[in-house]
Amino acid sequence: MSIVAVPGSKSVTARALFLAAAADGVSVLRRPLVSDDTDGFAAGLETLGYEVERGPDAWRITGRPAGPAAAEAEVHCRDAGTASRFLPALAAAGHGTYRFDASAQMRRRPVAPLTEALRSLGVDLTHDEAEGHLPLTVVAHGIKGGAIDLDASLSSQFLTALLMAGPLMAEGLRIRVTGIVSVPYVEITLAMMRRFGVEVGRDGDTFAVPPGGYRAQDYPVEPDASAASYFFAAAALSGRSATVPGLGTDALQGDLRFVDVLARMGAEVETTADATTVTGTGRLSGLTVNMRDISDTMPTLAAIAPFADGPVRIEDVYNTRVKECDRLEACAGNLRRQGIRVETGRDWIEIHPGTPAPVEIACHGDHRMAMSFAVAGLRTPGTTFDDPECVRKTFPGFHEFFAAVRADWGV
């Protein structure tokens, strides 16, 4: 059995950075993820005038409930969806003029549901080029708050950004959600807001966020469940055992539910109070599974699906088409190049059993393509990648880390 100490959660780190910046006092984040996305988020806070002190095992953030210290700033969000969606909402609650831009990849991803919601709250916001996309400029005069409708069917990050900004609004915020995806990520947000002193009321599809602000916290960041999925899948595929400490029954992240999918396919899963273990049994069964709420793990399952004894059909994952790349088609394209029969629809992919050929995987600049097909490479020696270093977005050093686990397993 291998003990796999995966890095901290990207989702938790990004939310903690926002909440700490908005809180009254100095917060300490323990074992945050250090990656390109989180570095970009922290750098964005610094550009806005927040004090961020980054040590090797902990980051200290001095909060400013009144908003950014800088009266003007240009923030580059790199490839990070969290920074691109969360930071404009944080800045809008302050006072100043702030421009947000990002990489070409991130510019292609939508932000319209968020920016339309902010405009409906009276925020002076302009898309500088393509409507509904970065770059955008916010001229902030604080936000009164009120009631809005929001479509979060493309990304739960739009809802999270508004929920976290709600306590900074003079009258709080009431959000009626007309569509939503990745609900577990919203549950992370609500739990973390509670930890920072704000209790969000919920009645069906309506969220009520009270005004009043946040209290600084000493906050431990749990390991990244999406990153853990690669090692759990590798164990199931290779007949080995992987234990990830820090992801137990009280874990915040919904992506830990990926182990339930592996259990349905035949792997043995044990979850205790402080760890989860997956052990491969030498077989993988085909299945049909709805992955709407754990869609970041869709590529992990797609990459190992050819090794199942029957078709693997993944449904309700349209939102994966508007991630770092069109993940549904990227998975299908790579699998077809490996000689695997694949069908796709608007929001589904079906993968048939086969023996994948070793090819160069097209990563499309997407960290999850590289890491998912690295797992499948356990059974397909000779697999290579056109952009292996794209993993730096969320897991710098992944390939070396994965190689060490493989060596420990003797595979």
Side-chain angles (χ1 to χ4, degrees), residues 64-382:
R64 287 185 53 85
E72 296 182 0
E74 293 206 6
V75 178
H76 193 275
C77 299
R78 305 186 192 180
D79 281 339
T82 48
S84 299
R85 278 85 179 254
F86 295 177
L87 290 178
L90 176 65
H95 294 78
T97 300
Y98 311 106
R99 186 175 188 270
F100 298 89
D101 201 355
S103 67
Q105 182 190 74
M106 189 61 226
R107 279 186 171 199
R108 291 191 295 269
R109 297 174 65 184
V111 295
L114 171 66
T115 55
E116 289 168 4
L118 290 172
R119 281 171 170 164
S120 73
L121 290 166
V123 175
D124 183 353
L125 185 151
T126 303
H127 290 281
D128 299 334
E129 294 183 17
E131 186 65 25
H133 295 265
L134 269 64
L136 61 87
T137 298
V138 176
V139 181
H141 305 287
I143 306 177
K144 180 180 178 182
I148 59 171
D149 290 345
L150 177 72
D151 181 359
S153 59
L154 285 181
S155 174
S156 64
Q157 289 177 356
F158 305 137
L159 176 57
T160 281
L162 291 162
L163 286 170
M164 292 195 299
L168 307 179
M169 301 179 191
E171 298 178 0
L173 183 62
R174 189 174 184 86
I175 308 172
R176 185 175 73 91
V177 179
T178 60
I180 190 170
V181 70
S182 301
V183 172
Y185 284 98
V186 179
E187 298 297 336
I188 294 173
T189 303
L190 299 178
M192 293 185 65
M193 290 176 67
R194 190 177 307 119
R195 177 67 178 269
F196 278 79
V198 174
E199 184 72 41
V200 177
R202 183 173 183 181
D203 181 9
D205 295 329
T206 300
F207 297 81
V209 187
Y214 297 102
R215 298 189 300 270
Q217 296 293 312
D218 190 307
Y219 193 89
V221 176
E222 67 186 32
D224 194 292
S226 305
S229 76
Y230 308 118
F231 301 93
F232 292 142
L237 185 62
S238 64
R240 303 304 197 272
S241 183
T243 296
V244 178
L247 287 177
T249 51
D250 293 331
L252 294 177
Q253 298 162 83
D255 276 2
L256 185 56
R257 298 178 195 172
F258 180 71
V259 301
D260 298 334
V261 178
L262 295 176
R264 287 179 57 192
M265 297 179 77
E268 295 177 356
V269 176
E270 179 185 9
T271 302
T272 66
D274 57 6
T276 295
T277 300
V278 172
T279 303
T281 59
R283 66 181 179 86
L284 289 174
S285 301
L287 82 170
T288 296
V289 58
N290 185 309
M291 298 188 79
R292 179 183 180 89
D293 285 341
I294 56 170
S295 60
D296 274 349
T297 63
M298 179 278 287
T300 318
L301 180 57
I304 67 170
F307 302 102
D309 61 12
V312 172
R313 183 181 174 94
I314 304 170
E315 298 181 334
D316 206 3
V317 287
Y318 174 77
N319 68 310
T320 65
R321 291 188 178 276
V322 291
K323 296 287 189 175
E324 282 80 347
C325 68
D326 182 335
R327 287 181 177 163
L328 199 151
E329 287 303 328
C331 286
N334 281 314
L335 289 165
R336 287 172 181 142
R337 289 172 56 244
Q338 290 183 313
I340 301 301
R341 179 183 161 202
V342 181
E343 287 99 36
T344 62
R346 178 183 179 274
D347 65 351
W348 59 269
I349 182 170
E350 184 166 313
I351 302 147
H352 295 261
T355 303
V359 300
E360 182 179 74
I361 298 300
C363 297
H364 301 276
D366 190 332
H367 55 133
R368 301 216 183 275
M369 288 298 110
M371 292 187 280
S372 297
F373 281 90
V375 174
L378 286 169
R379 297 273 294 272
T380 311

